[in-house]
Amino acid sequence: MPAGVRALPETPASLRTTLAGVRQAPRAPAEVWAARQWVRDMTPRLARYVADDAYRQALLARVHQEARLAGLAPELVLAVIQVESAFRADAVSSAGATGLMQIMPFWIRELGLPADDLKDPWRNLRYGCTILAHYLAVERGDLTRALARYNGSLGKTWYPERVMRALATRWTPTGGDAVEHLTAER
């Protein structure tokens, strides 16, 4: 093996079994229908930020998938992306946060592989949803504190307020209540 390259640890058998089960488990027709309805509902809302229809559809489908895998409401993820990057996959902050969900590069060391590209929107969504779900767990479901941790502004409310405002004004599903919907997801 070349110097500086380390082998990945063997995946535990129990995790391999769980992953195989998840990959092979068919999605219930009601779940597939609900995801399609959600994408249909969110498509015109995202048009302001993403002009390309094919990319917009793919992005919404992926946001839905990654949010569900992480146990998050997909609308919350859209609100975070709106506030963080205005849906620009190539966004880089002055602090070095990158991509749709503005992931700090140190997270690659914690969660991924050195070759991970945070400007890849699908990879960025996986990181962002995982990190936000982690902070929600750390904060025992306290969304305000989890969002502040995500932004690196724990103890301040300006960032969670911006995300919640985006959620309420743009991303709440038709006929739904933002807070009620989020609590129903968890």
Side-chain angles (χ1 to χ4, degrees), residues 5-180:
V5 174
R6 61 185 169 104
L8 293 174
E10 181 70 25
T11 305
S14 60
L15 182 56
R16 280 196 305 271
T17 302
T18 301
L19 290 172
V22 168
R23 279 191 219 114
Q24 295 169 1
R27 290 175 60 194
E31 186 181 336
V32 172
W33 182 84
R36 286 183 183 150
Q37 291 299 110
W38 182 86
V39 169
R40 186 174 299 129
D41 187 25
M42 296 298 143
T43 295
R45 301 168 194 223
L46 187 56
R48 171 182 178 184
Y49 297 97
V50 178
D52 181 88
D53 186 54
Y55 176 67
R56 188 169 55 243
Q57 297 285 321
L59 178 60
L60 285 168
R62 193 57 172 255
V63 165
H64 192 275
Q65 175 187 1
E66 294 297 339
R68 294 296 189 187
L69 285 172
L72 301 170
E75 302 82 24
L76 174 62
V77 175
L78 291 173
V80 167
I81 296 169
Q82 177 186 332
V83 170
E84 288 288 348
S85 70
F87 293 89
R88 287 186 33 243
D90 62 347
V92 179
S93 76
S94 60
T98 303
L100 291 173
M101 295 188 76
Q102 291 292 277
I103 308 303
M104 290 298 288
F106 75 83
W107 281 107
I108 291 174
R109 203 173 46 252
E110 299 297 322
L111 297 175
L113 301 170
D116 283 349
D117 178 5
L118 294 176
K119 288 184 181 177
D120 172 352
W122 302 166
R123 179 62 52 200
N124 194 279
L125 284 169
R126 173 67 51 94
Y127 273 82
C129 289
T130 301
I131 294 163
L132 184 53
H134 167 70
Y135 286 144
L136 267 171
V138 166
E139 294 298 342
R140 299 174 199 244
D142 185 326
L143 184 58
T144 299
R145 288 183 58 85
L147 286 168
R149 272 190 189 275
Y150 185 87
N151 176 255
S153 59
L154 187 59
K156 298 180 177 136
T157 61
W158 64 269
Y159 177 79
E161 288 169 0
R162 284 184 67 195
V163 172
M164 295 308 287
R165 192 169 31 258
L167 178 64
T169 59
R170 180 164 293 276
W171 305 112
T172 299
T174 303
D177 174 41
V179 175
E180 181 181 307

